[in-house]
Amino acid sequence: MKKEKESKDGDLMEKMVSLCKRRGFVFPGSEIYGGFAGTYDWGHLGLALKNNIKQAWWKKFVDSRRDMYGMDAAILMNPKVWEATGHVANFADPLDGKQFNTMLKTSVGARKDEVSVSYLRPETAQGMFVNFKNTVDAFHPKLPFGMAQIGKAFRNEIAPRDFLFRQREFEQMEIEYFVRPADWEKYFEYWRGEIRSWMEKIGLDMNKVHELEVAKEDRAHYSSRTIDFEFDYPFGKKELFGLAYRSDFDLKTHKLEYQDEENGEKMILHVIEPTFGVDRAFMALLLSAYTEDPAKDGASEKEPRVYLKFKPNIAPVICAVSPLLKNKPELVKYAEGKVFVPLKAEFGRVVWDDNGNIGKRYRRQDEIGTPFCIVVDFDTLEDNTVTVRDRDTGAQERVKVEELKNYLKEKIL
Ligand code: ATP
């Protein structure tokens, strides 16, 4: 039984990696030169999905709040930052009995006497801490408040593996939330809820999400409490996101005080850090969405129907537009001029698909998770309605062309 499950899960991983390549989501990095371990390149559809994940995050945690300040810090930082934070001494994994520092070293500067060793940042967090004072001086935030950043991070992982799970170049979405020392527990619980609610919002399978209270000896050197949000990947239950209480570790290290502008009180704030990996979110979403319906007896298709059950707000393509027959100019003209062009201008994530018969087009769109397929047929020319077919149920309904924009807008809320 266990063997059977393992091979089924192994299959799922293989199917997902191959779908990602075949349908233009994710390609192995530098593939035509034999690849480059721990790197992946993003194709048109994968990039669209990744951008939707990042936008959904930014919308919830930055744009819809009053207490959050966005950042985009440089990837290259003064190496003194990483000495001060303990990364140079402690950011390491065991290799052959010795500790191997996993920061990615690089040298910066041209002339010999100017060259200094620096690191590609292993986390986005420090870019926010070193700009704490700049942010406070510019915006005068009241407590509590946060800083948020999305960006690349690099780690010289000893053994990159499991597709996007452990890469050497990846992307993080992080929040540093600054609170009065006495309030940390309250906000730790608050962020625990916020992380869960965002996972639900983007459509992660919450039955596969588990919380792990990380034991002291397993926590990062800066953390006084950590909860890992783990996900049931085909290769095991492993970290997806994290929530750490970094106490005053960072602001004390950088000697950064906060002064309450109302009563003059000075203090070192404590930090709650919700951290999200974009690539792991992407993979967990694909695994949550991947569905196979067995081929029905007597159905013309022999292969099972594969579809990605993405929520419309996150799907790389919202709808595909087709003329029923591509050799009927009156259908093509209508579909293009009255349906495709206006929808494309409104939503962007709209594709034109007139290849093969309708059944094949539906299957192709199912496989990339397009929630709606719109077909212009001969009735359309008479009554200005089109068929909208639902990806998950296969149900079709007639919708007036003039109502299509609102129809789709309601679905992608
Ligand atoms: P792990 O224990 O799996 O190595 P970590 O505890 O080192 O992860 P953090 O330092 O907490 O990870 O990094 C924050 C987030 O960045 C993680 O929750 C994860 O989503 C993402 N992440 C970390 N390392 C990688 C990697 N090598 N490839 C892809 N994503 C990563």
Side-chain angles (χ1 to χ4, degrees):
M1 185 66 197
K2 187 156 178 276
K3 258 218 160 111
E4 211 170 82
K5 186 173 181 307
E6 268 169 19
S7 79
K8 203 169 145 239
D9 286 353
D11 274 7
L12 174 58
M13 203 59 196
E14 239 171 66
K15 283 178 187 166
M16 200 184 67
V17 174
S18 111
L19 188 154
C20 278
K21 184 174 169 199
R22 190 163 30 86
R23 300 307 311 273
F25 283 79
V26 182
F27 311 119
S30 314
E31 196 184 13
I32 62 167
Y33 285 93
F36 198 54
T39 66
Y40 283 90
D41 296 338
W42 297 82
H44 183 70
L45 291 179
L47 181 58
L49 179 59
K50 188 159 86 143
N51 283 341
N52 292 343
I53 293 171
K54 292 196 277 182
Q55 272 163 20
W57 189 90
W58 197 262
K59 190 170 166 199
K60 176 168 170 64
F61 294 123
V62 182
D63 285 347
S64 68
R65 301 178 63 108
R66 301 175 186 199
D67 60 348
M68 201 62 80
Y69 299 87
M71 267 291 323
D72 187 21
I75 286 171
L76 290 176
M77 300 178 82
N78 189 321
K80 284 182 192 155
V81 172
W82 306 112
E83 278 153 30
T85 57
H87 280 78
V88 173
N90 297 319
F91 200 74
D93 283 337
L95 174 66
D96 303 330
K98 289 193 202 76
Q99 286 299 104
F100 170 77
N101 194 298
T102 57
M103 280 200 294
L104 243 158
K105 242 187 218 165
T106 186
S107 54
V108 180
R111 286 181 210 285
K112 264 199 187 137
D113 52 338
E114 287 173 5
V115 172
S116 63
V117 166
S118 187
Y119 305 92
L120 302 185
R121 65 182 179 199
E123 57 173 32
T124 62
Q126 294 307 324
M128 294 184 267
F129 294 125
V130 301
N131 284 285
F132 173 83
K133 186 173 183 308
N134 287 334
T135 302
V136 169
D137 291 350
F139 303 105
H140 306 276
K142 292 203 170 60
L143 294 179
F145 72 95
M147 294 172 72
Q149 174 163 232
I150 300 179
K152 291 256 178 162
F154 301 81
R155 295 183 190 177
N156 199 2
E157 297 281 0
I158 295 168
R161 62 186 173 279
D162 298 324
F163 194 34
L164 307 174
F165 181 80
R166 192 165 301 286
Q167 298 171 81
R168 291 188 170 135
E169 172 175 344
F170 55 97
E171 206 162 2
Q172 294 182 321
M173 306 180 281
E174 296 196 296
I175 293 167
E176 308 305 331
Y177 201 69
F178 302 101
V179 302
R180 288 176 192 278
D183 290 342
W184 81 266
E185 273 163 312
K186 181 169 102 187
Y187 287 107
F188 193 89
E189 283 311 311
Y190 166 78
W191 280 105
R192 192 176 184 171
E194 287 295 284
I195 292 173
R196 293 192 79 86
S197 94
W198 185 73
M199 291 196 277
E200 278 170 39
K201 172 105 187 144
I202 60 167
L204 284 179
D205 180 349
M206 295 306 283
N207 296 317
K208 292 190 170 151
V209 173
H210 312 278
E211 291 184 20
L212 172 79
E213 183 77 45
V214 179
K216 190 169 189 292
E217 59 273 22
D218 297 330
R219 287 198 296 256
H221 64 278
Y222 50 73
S223 175
S224 304
R225 185 180 174 196
T226 300
I227 289 181
D228 280 352
F229 289 82
E230 298 188 313
F231 188 81
D232 293 319
Y233 302 96
F235 46 86
K237 188 163 70 150
K238 299 259 167 68
E239 177 172 335
L240 172 61
F241 305 144
L243 174 63
Y245 167 45
R246 296 177 78 123
S247 70
D248 60 1
F249 180 85
D250 303 276
L251 295 186
K252 207 167 164 184
T253 299
H254 299 309
K255 302 183 185 63
L256 293 164
E257 265 188 344
Y258 173 87
Q259 182 165 25
D260 190 319
E261 288 187 4
E262 268 158 34
N263 60 18
E265 184 193 354
K266 281 189 180 167
M267 65 195 118
I268 303 247
L269 299 177
H270 283 213
V271 174
I272 310 291
E273 179 191 69
T275 173
F276 305 71
V278 177
D279 312 73
R280 291 188 191 176
F282 179 97
M283 202 160 90
L285 255 187
L286 275 170
L287 291 164
S288 301
Y290 188 93
T291 316
E292 269 181 25
D293 280 351
K296 291 190 191 88
D297 278 349
S300 54
E301 302 99 357
K302 298 277 177 291
E303 297 289 314
R305 181 169 88 93
V306 172
Y307 58 109
L308 296 176
K309 241 182 187 168
F310 292 130
K311 283 192 165 184
N313 64 351
I314 224 82
V317 176
I318 298 166
C319 68
V321 178
S322 296
L324 181 65
L325 300 166
K326 73 171 177 187
N327 57 1
K328 295 285 174 205
E330 62 275 35
L331 294 185
V332 174
K333 190 167 168 237
Y334 192 107
E336 180 154 7
K338 298 216 160 121
V339 184
F340 176 72
V341 170
L343 292 183
K344 182 90 180 146
E346 179 76 27
F347 299 106
R349 290 143 53 204
V350 175
V351 297
W352 175 263
D353 190 353
D354 62 3
N355 235 327
N357 64 36
I358 287 289
K360 288 222 173 78
R361 291 179 210 167
Y362 286 161
R363 286 219 162 194
R364 219 172 19 242
Q365 294 303 325
D366 285 346
E367 222 193 3
I368 61 166
T370 307
F372 307 105
C373 286
I374 299 173
V375 177
V376 169
D377 56 22
F378 292 104
D379 288 344
T380 312
L381 305 178
E382 304 293 318
D383 63 4
N384 292 305
T385 66
V386 287
T387 300
V388 180
R389 180 254 192 188
D390 180 281
R391 175 198 62 207
D392 301 342
T393 61
Q396 306 191 359
E397 59 176 318
R398 297 294 291 190
V399 177
K400 283 196 183 137
V401 170
E402 61 183 26
E403 281 167 14
L404 268 177
K405 274 189 195 171
N406 284 337
Y407 175 93
L408 291 171
K409 267 188 199 160
E410 270 173 33
K411 305 274 186 188
I412 57 176
L413 277 181

